[in-house]
Amino acid sequence: MTPAVQERIENLIKNNKIMVFMKGTKLMPQCGFSNNAVQILNSLGVPFETIDVLDRDNQEIRQGIKEYSNWPTIPQVYINGEFIGGSDILIEMYQKGELQETVEIAMAS
């Protein structure tokens, strides 16, 4: 990963309370796992930003985010600058009520 890609990733994470690196957009997810993440966040009614790793302009981010987080799959969700995980972890946290709490704390800070 180039320093420019790392800086771009860090800025996206730092400047957005909830940042999702995903396939597609929040209006048109391009895979089931990305869709799961979007649906869960939509159900919480909180603002979040996404970046489409399939977009030609974001090809370096697609690989870079995997190196940055040391996590092999997409989507990747960051809340308040902290890596939360992918779709499966989001579902698990949501079912336990932990995601709602994490999001509330992030929105209040």
Side-chain angles (χ1 to χ4, degrees), residues 69-88:
S69 64
N70 200 24
W71 189 264
T73 59
I74 302 288
Q76 293 190 17
V77 179
Y78 287 79
I79 299 177
N80 233 13
E82 180 184 345
F83 177 58
I84 299 299
S87 175
D88 52 344

Side-chain angles (χ1 to χ4, degrees), residues 42-82:
N42 280 340
S43 76
L44 297 178
V46 293
F48 63 97
E49 292 301 320
T50 64
I51 189 156
D52 180 2
V53 299
L54 298 177
D55 187 287
R56 201 174 70 222
D57 295 335
N58 297 327
Q59 286 301 302
E60 291 177 322
I61 288 197
R62 183 177 187 173
Q63 184 56 39
I65 193 62
K66 294 175 185 180
E67 294 172 27
Y68 184 84
S69 64
N70 200 24
W71 189 264
T73 59
I74 302 288
Q76 293 190 17
V77 179
Y78 287 79
I79 299 177
N80 233 13
E82 180 184 345

Side-chain angles (χ1 to χ4, degrees), residues 6-20:
Q6 182 171 342
E7 183 178 350
R8 185 167 174 218
I9 290 170
E10 287 172 350
N11 285 334
L12 286 165
I13 293 167
K14 183 176 69 176
N15 295 325
N16 297 286
K17 294 257 186 203
I18 302 174
M19 185 70 217
V20 183

